[in-house]
Amino acid sequence: MNTLRQAVQEYLSMRRNLGFALRKVGHGLLDFVTFMEQRRASYITQTLALDWAQQPQKVQPAQWAERLCFVRGFARYRSATDSRTQIPPQGLLPFRRKRPRPYLYSDDEIERLLRAALKMPCRYQRCELRPWVYYCLFGLLSVSGLRLGEACNLELQDVDLKAAVLTIRRTKFGKTRLVPLHASTCQVLRNYIARRRRHWAQRPVSSYLFVSSSGHRLDGGNIQRTFYVLSRQIGLRGLSDSHGPRLHDIDSQPTHSCVGIGPMRNPSATCQSCPPSSAMCALPTRTGI
């Protein structure tokens, strides 16, 4: 019979081959195996599973239940080869998940957010592209239905402005999908790419569409912090608020969104149903999930 560590590696490999990423589960189960090894335990018991799940002290009960869920899934798998395995029953650590209430942005709020992005200060020449990066990133999220991670992972080769299509690679369950773009969105992206090319001329830069001031892929933490600063500036959040409208909600607008600000404005490219000030227009599209 193989060891628990070997069994965990086989379990994770099997499920990842089925399309599950299991990043958090993988880290959790490897930590659980280390916990078991320290106690010289060769098989899973309900008591040990509970002890490990409740190790973190200053956390919400939901995190304990999530950790126990990691073990429960693995225990089901392990029980097929080790009859001594105890599978923690459902409800052993009961909790009620509190999901954040989605926030529906108005077109005016999105316009103010993008306007604030364009007004971000630039103290150094290397930061001159930064306002346009966030202007186009937030604008694209609002009209395409992309997840934040999907937008950050876009590379220049994934943007086909002639065909008006984005190729979204390595999405949920490892799939690839195509996202159509409105002609006005293509024009905004075309202007941004030209500006990006001029800014990084004669300097090394990564192939990602949206890059930081150092030329690397945008960091998710920096994106969130920038959004918090801008949302406070335009009144979406109070200056001391720790909760409020999330960037995650901006990609899930139920109706078609239009965005157009200042120099990016191109009224001739807008669709007939959009007001004249619109420069970015599209239907949020997320298929294949």
Side-chain angles (χ1 to χ4, degrees):
M1 185 184 300
N2 56 3
T3 65
L4 278 176
R5 186 169 294 275
Q6 291 171 330
V8 162
Q9 296 291 0
E10 292 173 359
Y11 170 72
L12 294 174
S13 178
M14 178 195 70
R15 296 202 63 199
R16 283 167 177 160
N17 287 336
L18 293 173
F20 296 94
L22 301 182
R23 295 184 185 91
K24 196 172 182 179
V25 175
H27 288 303
L29 286 179
L30 290 175
D31 183 69
F32 173 67
V33 167
T34 301
F35 169 87
M36 295 287 284
E37 290 172 344
Q38 290 171 348
R39 283 152 182 77
R40 301 182 182 277
S42 59
Y43 62 94
I44 301 171
T45 67
Q46 180 174 301
T47 300
L48 287 171
L50 273 175
D51 288 346
W52 176 80
Q54 295 179 301
Q55 268 191 332
Q57 295 300 309
K58 297 180 180 180
V59 299
Q60 297 293 324
Q63 187 169 336
W64 288 347
E66 181 183 46
R67 286 163 62 87
L68 188 62
C69 185
F70 298 164
V71 178
R72 182 181 298 114
F74 171 61
R76 291 195 187 101
Y77 170 85
R78 181 62 171 173
S79 64
T81 56
D82 188 347
S83 60
R84 299 172 298 173
T85 301
Q86 297 177 9
I87 302 173
Q90 295 282 353
L92 194 57
L93 289 176
F95 77 102
R96 185 173 182 178
R97 183 181 297 275
K98 293 183 179 180
R99 294 185 177 274
R101 179 178 298 178
Y103 183 84
L104 300 182
Y105 291 86
S106 67
D107 287 348
D108 177 68
E109 287 171 333
I110 294 176
E111 287 192 23
R112 287 191 286 120
L113 177 66
L114 300 194
R115 189 177 293 112
L118 282 182
K119 292 180 179 179
M120 286 193 295
C122 302
R123 297 179 58 186
Y124 306 103
Q125 183 178 2
R126 62 185 176 86
C127 300
E128 288 180 352
L129 189 66
R130 185 169 179 261
W132 299 97
V133 169
Y134 282 97
Y135 169 73
C136 287
L137 173 62
F138 293 158
L140 184 62
L141 289 175
S142 72
V143 300
S144 66
L146 296 182
R147 301 178 179 91
L148 178 59
E150 293 171 344
C152 290
N153 286 332
L154 280 173
E155 298 189 42
L156 292 174
Q157 65 176 355
D158 300 326
V159 184
D160 188 341
L161 297 179
K162 290 184 179 179
V165 167
L166 297 177
T167 301
I168 313 302
R169 308 179 193 275
R170 302 181 300 278
T171 65
K172 202 171 184 178
F173 303 119
K175 295 181 179 180
T176 294
R177 75 179 192 277
L178 302 178
V179 174
L181 298 174
H182 189 271
S184 56
T185 305
C186 290
Q187 185 58 47
V188 175
L189 291 176
R190 188 175 291 110
N191 292 344
Y192 164 74
I193 291 173
R195 186 181 295 270
R196 178 190 185 280
R197 187 179 300 114
R198 291 193 300 270
H199 180 80
W200 289 104
Q202 309 302 322
R203 289 185 295 165
V205 62
S206 77
S207 61
Y208 289 105
L209 176 64
F210 300 114
V211 294
S212 66
S213 298
S214 59
H216 302 296
R217 177 185 181 275
L218 281 180
D219 174 71
N222 286 335
I223 295 172
Q224 295 290 351
R225 285 187 287 273
T226 300
F227 171 74
Y228 296 150
V229 170
L230 296 179
S231 63
R232 289 187 175 100
Q233 286 180 7
I234 65 175
L236 279 176
R237 288 173 176 242
L239 294 178
S240 60
D241 289 351
S242 59
H243 300 283
R246 303 170 303 161
L247 183 57
H248 175 77
D249 297 323
I250 205 170
D251 68 357
S252 304
Q253 300 304 296
T255 58
H256 116 307
S257 304
C258 308
V259 179
I261 305 295
M264 303 293 278
R265 179 184 173 194
N266 184 3
S268 63
T270 59
C271 68
Q272 297 300 314
S273 63
C274 302
S277 63
S278 300
M280 189 178 279
C281 171
L283 289 171
T285 305
R286 185 180 293 166
T287 59
I289 60 174

